[in-house]
Amino acid sequence: LLVNYLNVVCLLSVQAVSHLAVLVAQVFLPLCRSQTHLLLVFTVQGVFLGANNNLSNLLTVAVQGNAAHAWMQALFLAYSGAVLFAPLLSTPFLSEAAARKHRSLSSN
């Protein structure tokens, strides 16, 4: 029980550092004056956001144990559904030129 508690505390502290790194990247975002700086800031932000997502998954498994499997599958199902339906839902709100391009690509 103590080892599980220490694992959760360790995951939470690493997750806090990840949140802090994303916050620092957000602060430096308006200060970017070249594409290289912008790429570096987005890379740092993406790495730490991905780490944060993975740590959240690990934390869910550490806290809930075997009961987390159904929740994790539902989470990934929701992500997959969003990826599938987001283009379909956003098409009516696109500009007319983008909508014409979308229709021409769909007809091919």
Side-chain angles (χ1 to χ4, degrees), residues 3-40:
V3 172
N4 192 20
Y5 175 75
L6 291 176
N7 285 339
V8 169
V9 169
C10 180
L11 284 173
L12 284 174
S13 60
V14 172
Q15 198 169 19
V17 170
S18 176
H19 278 292
L20 184 63
V22 170
L23 176 69
V24 169
Q26 289 284 332
V27 168
F28 282 110
L29 194 60
L31 304 175
C32 294
R33 299 291 179 223
S34 70
Q35 286 182 336
T36 306
H37 293 137
L38 192 64
L39 180 65
L40 180 67

Side-chain angles (χ1 to χ4, degrees), residues 25-99:
Q26 289 284 332
V27 168
F28 282 110
L29 194 60
L31 304 175
C32 294
R33 299 291 179 223
S34 70
Q35 286 182 336
T36 306
H37 293 137
L38 192 64
L39 180 65
L40 180 67
V41 169
F42 278 140
T43 301
V44 168
Q45 187 177 7
V47 165
F48 283 104
L49 280 173
N52 191 17
N53 289 337
N54 287 328
L55 289 170
S56 296
N57 292 342
L58 283 173
L59 188 62
T60 303
V61 171
V63 169
Q64 293 186 353
N66 288 336
H69 297 295
W71 292 105
M72 298 300 283
Q73 289 175 358
L75 174 72
F76 291 122
L77 177 68
Y79 285 156
S80 301
V83 167
L84 178 66
F85 289 113
L88 298 173
L89 293 174
S90 64
T91 301
F93 303 103
L94 295 173
S95 67
E96 186 58 36

